[in-house]
Amino acid sequence: MTAYEAESDVLADPGRAGEPAAPLLEVADLEVSFPSEDGRVRAVRGLSYRVSPGEVLGIVGESGSGKSVSSLAVMGLLPPSARIGGSIRLRGQELLGLSDTELSRIRGRRVAMVFQDPLSALTPVYTVGDQIAEALLVHGGRSTTASTARNRAVELLDLVGIPNAAERVKAFPHEFSGGMRQRAVIAMAIANDPDLIIADEPTTALDVTVQAQVLEVLKTAQEVTGAGIVLITHDLGVVAGTADRVIVMYAGKAVETGTVDEIFATPRMPYTLGLLGSIPRLDVGRGQPLVPIEGQPPSLVALPPGCPFGPRCPLHEPACDAAEPELLPAPGAAPDHRAACIRTGELAAADAEGGELAAELFDAHVVEAEPVDSATRIDREVVLGVDRLVKHYPVRAGGIFRRQVGAVQAVDGVTFDVRAGETLGLVGESGCGKSTTIMEIMGLEPPTGGSIQVLGSQVEGLSRADRKRIRRDLQIVFQDPMASLDPRLPVRDLIAEPMEVQGFDKAHITRRVPELMKLVGLRSEQINRYPGEFSGGQRQRICIARALALEPKVLVLDEPVSALDVSIQAGVLNLLDELKARLGLAYLFVAHDLSVVRHIADRVAVMYLGKIVEIGGVEEVFAAPQHPYTQALLSAIPVPDPEVERRRERILLTGDLPSPANPPSGCRFRTRCQLFATLGADQQQRCIDVEPPRESALPAEPDAPVGAHLPDHDVACHWARIRTVV
Amino acid sequence: MTTTDVTGGTGKSVPTGGANPVDVPLDAIEAETEGVTRGTLVLRRFLRNKLALTGLVVLALLYAVSLTSPLFAPWAYDEYDYLSFLQPPSASHWFGTTQIGEDVFAQTMRGLQRSLTIGLLTAAISIVIASVVGACAGYFGGWVDRGLMWIVDLLLVLPSFLIIAVISPALRGSSWILFVLLLGLFAWMITARILRGMTLTLREREFVKAARFMGAPSGLIIRRHILPNMASLMIIDVTITVGSTILLETGLSYFGFGVQPPDVSLGTLIRDGSTAALTTPWLFLFAGGLLVVSVLAVNFIGDGLRDALDPNARRGRNVREDEDPEVEVERA
Ligand SMILES: Nc1ncnc2c1ncn2[C@@H]1O[C@H](COP(=O)(O)OP(=O)(O)O)[C@@H](O)[C@H]1O
Ligand code: SF4
Ligand code: SF4
Ligand SMILES: [Mg+2]
């Protein structure tokens, strides 16, 4: 218990000095283990923390670091096979060892949980309103009647920003979009005015714009209820803007704790540094070296003695393996800043800080590449051209004759081109038509409308042989590396497949496969393994090797890093950067994460509901976004820097993407446009009636000559104006 | 190109492919950086599985002995020894004799050969038809799907037992191969439906899309991605069909279709012998024992093949984890 005693002293919230806030939740020496085939999995190994009322505690770490398990332990939701030790106290009451009935009383009323997947928290057969009302009735005591519960449910839905709450209260969960469901779950969570809300990756499955909304709702919820919040996430950016204090977890243990400013400004543990350095930043862009943390987290079954981060640590020295470093106050930092590393002193003594120190430490470099010159852009060959591309999916009514009653306008007049050696980032919320666009391109079939041009040939009128030839130069990497690799083929066959299809001889293939593996940073001993034996990042490398097998000229990347942990993502992004520089590839890079696009792309196209609303050079668009949607997207991306986050004003979009089967008239964005709301009535009328054409943007400099237009920056808004949001 | 013939599926068709010698010592495999195709890897994994190998050897031996037995056995299956009726096993009649003086050993061997052939061949025919029909219907969709499923539904509603019963007399006297064909023709529909369903899901998986975007022709995609990913089910189906066909044949023989006297199958032997199982156990024990042994052998081979094809199966992998600690970490 002594370790815990020491712990609780320094972890007390310094912000409330003077009146020592009584801790709301105290977790001490929490140990959780599960039985497994190979032995006991020690998922949590001695975790201690406390949360004060009204405080937001962020818990960050890679997947598998024990974040979820520790919070499930607090909720008493672990499976019976789990062995739990230590102590968990809520307002002084010990929760470990309570019976299930007692626990469930506490769960509904005093502790609430928001899960990553909101569907699992909602019962599909009851309306959302009924479920919230039920939560109120079960825990609300005798004073609550059915009708007050109903009214309260409407109020709560309104509070979490569900438009038309009185109507929507009668909707079923499946009629809600992902973001709305998550908001409904938050409404349910705060229904009984809990003391503590545990949110486990509440925004991981959501789009950035919706993520911003949900985080905002969580903040509102906290203000309304005054509850403490434990916010679990793998995204340091999310933590920067919302948390007061942060715990970094690694291999089931806290390896660094402190206030959010301390952790971000002066991290004292190499792992935290690496995590920080691995995030591409919206406000830095190209010149930022990304820090990949090589290797995987250790197995939690039989941890060797010593620092668990040792095998991946650039500062590792023999002394690190002697014993596991304790979580001790970091030298030269605020007293509640603690780190578990024997070399924290050296980190404190270094003259660099933050990302710079991380890059130095992990030896990360910016990939030297010829900057793509926008002046000579016109002279370069168009490797991929899409002109007024249209793709409509018919909507049919049921019945025998399956009458067509409408069309989902997935892609509706998209025009862009990718020229040799450049990267075009295609961004937008999910459902806006990004994937449809690339599937149309990859299909090499004549589109419903418009035209596609690949490497100088129009797709219409291609013969079978032409198609085969073009496929050599046009390759794709999918989002989920596990799904895009046949689990039953070994690596050799996977990488060889495109070459076999193209009819290369066996000798060539045998020579080429190990070459490719080396190129993407896989070891050739791994050649006879199956994809299941690789980690996520390695699998994505296999996909990239396969795509490069035929030495293509254009690589289409469909969210290639969004399924990966940030530390792994950095490695893949670096690889893509390097390959591009080395092989002179052109990328069409689809992403919803604008910071990734900023890091890797030369140009960016922003899509909304099947149309491109803004397109141009990354620097111009990010520095001076002109379309309200671009501005909103950019402002929704968290920056991993608490200071910047506090200063930033957020543009919050209301509502969700409208259905592409029935898009709004005039400007498709008008239902959510923040600028629209501020316009005069006649200006608004124009937005409603006239679809804004895509025109050259006005230059950013105020002293530019009247009528001057930017050559390579288009925007589709009647009232486009610059607003800096980063 | 890999030639993983899971479609053959008779349990004895071992995938082949790749030119590397398969008798590489186990420890030599690990350091290898030369890639081998799936066929070779699967073969290696299969050969590592002792139980499956045993099954294969047993099945091969049974077959060989039953085929060659006329060469060394003192009696033929349709000969009568009028000097010994219903005798227990002895030096001249190794498995004893029947009421009318037939040699049980010769009969059992003949029956074994018949039953194994019928079982394996029917299973093979049925799985080939099922996988081709199921995979094509699921993969191509449209009118191919509708047409094939119409045939499947039609065959499903026809009572197969009855049809075989009706047709059998017409086939009397002609080759028993026809009978096998008939059995196979009525055994594949449900499997085909299941495989079609699985193909529908597989078709939408990204790795199939990836192959399409590479320009791989449909036939290749089905062979290389769709069928191997359904192999577990197909193998289970084959092992079950082998056993059940042998028994079904018994039922048919009972009603006078199928294998007819003086020809015998394990099924007819068991049926005839089981009436006096306690007093004259030799009439039925040998046939029954061999039936169990052969079905078990087929099962072991099936299990081995399944593990060899499935990269996630624990068996089939060897000790290389111990040598490469990183793998341990990756999998954990
Ligand atoms: N029910 C369970 N049975 C066995 N092991 C589990 C169970 N739940 C989680 N684990 C293991 O515990 C470890 C930590 O998991 P988790 O807390 O979910 O990580 P995180 O939330 O940080 O991604 C992982 O190794 C995971 O496999
Ligand atoms: S204790 Fe050693 S291995 Fe662990 S983080 Fe510190 S320097 Fe790295
Ligand atoms: S045209 Fe009108 S509604 Fe559309 S983005 Fe511009 S201001 Fe908003
Ligand atoms: Mg988790």
Side-chain angles (χ1 to χ4, degrees), chain A residues 423-427 587-591 597 601-606 618:
Chain A
T423 302
L424 174 69
L426 189 61
V427 295
Y587 293 153
L588 174 58
F589 193 105
V590 174
V597 168
D602 303 302
R603 302 180 71 240
V604 59
V606 182
V618 161

Side-chain angles (χ1 to χ4, degrees), chain A residues 627-629 667-671 673-676 679 683-684 686-688 690 692 716-720:
Chain A
H627 196 281
Y629 181 59
C667 176
R668 292 189 166 194
F669 185 53
R670 71 177 161 81
T671 50
C673 178
Q674 73 276 11
L675 184 57
F676 181 79
L679 295 174
Q683 287 177 315
Q684 286 192 343
R686 177 125 185 256
C687 298
I688 296 173
V690 185
C717 168
H718 295 306
W719 317 106

Side-chain angles (χ1 to χ4, degrees), chain A residues 62-64 66-69 116 200-201 232:
Chain A
E62 278 168 287
S63 51
K67 307 180 302 275
S68 302
V69 169
Q116 173 176 347
D200 188 357
E201 312 245 7
I232 298 170

Side-chain angles (χ1 to χ4, degrees), chain A residues 576-647:
Chain A
L576 287 173
D577 254 344
E578 196 186 304
L579 290 174
K580 184 186 163 202
R582 226 157 90 195
L583 308 176
L585 299 170
Y587 293 153
L588 174 58
F589 193 105
V590 174
H592 65 261
D593 186 345
L594 280 153
S595 41
V596 169
V597 168
R598 165 129 228 200
H599 181 84
I600 199 158
D602 303 302
R603 302 180 71 240
V604 59
V606 182
M607 255 185 109
Y608 185 80
L609 220 55
K611 290 192 183 292
I612 287 183
V613 295
E614 186 160 5
I615 183 169
V618 161
E619 300 301 330
E620 284 107 55
V621 173
F622 279 53
Q626 309 220 356
H627 196 281
Y629 181 59
T630 317
Q631 292 159 1
L633 266 189
L634 281 171
S635 122
I637 307 276
V639 173
D641 185 337
E643 255 176 74
V644 176
E645 276 293 294
R646 252 171 254 143
R647 261 189 311 171

Side-chain angles (χ1 to χ4, degrees), chain A residues 37-38 296-300 439 442-443 471 474-476 478-480 482-490 492-494 497-498 500-502 506 510 514 523-530 532-535 538 546, chain B residues 1-2 18-19 31-38 41-42 44-45 205-207 209-217 220 224-225 228-229 231-232 308-312 314 317 320 324 326-332:
Chain A
E37 251 180 82
D38 311 312
Q296 277 88 42
S299 151
L300 296 173
M439 288 306 140
M442 292 309 297
R471 293 217 184 273
L474 178 67
Q475 295 285 326
I476 185 166
F478 289 98
Q479 171 175 13
D480 180 354
M482 194 61 210
S484 57
L485 295 174
D486 187 339
R488 300 226 158 176
L489 278 179
R492 184 225 166 251
D493 284 11
L494 285 167
E497 189 167 10
E500 283 170 356
V501 169
Q502 292 284 346
K506 200 159 177 191
T510 312
R523 281 180 293 122
S524 49
E525 303 94 81
Q526 299 168 321
I527 194 164
N528 288 333
R529 304 243 175 113
Y530 290 91
E533 298 174 54
F534 290 89
S535 67
Q538 287 175 318
R546 176 172 70 177
Chain B
M1 203 122 312
T2 45
E32 142 188 284
T33 57
E34 178 100 337
V36 293
T37 54
R38 164 165 65 189
L41 272 187
V42 168
R44 266 186 211 167
R45 288 160 61 101
R205 294 275 295 274
E206 267 176 8
F207 61 83
K209 265 193 212 152
R212 262 209 293 258
F213 290 154
M214 271 170 224
L220 180 64
R224 178 170 244 241
H225 297 293
N229 276 289
S232 301
L309 279 165
D310 180 2
N312 296 323
R314 282 219 148 228
R317 266 196 223 153
R320 83 176 154 220
D324 190 347
E326 202 183 321
V327 184
E328 198 58 48
V329 175
E330 281 164 13
R331 286 219 335 277

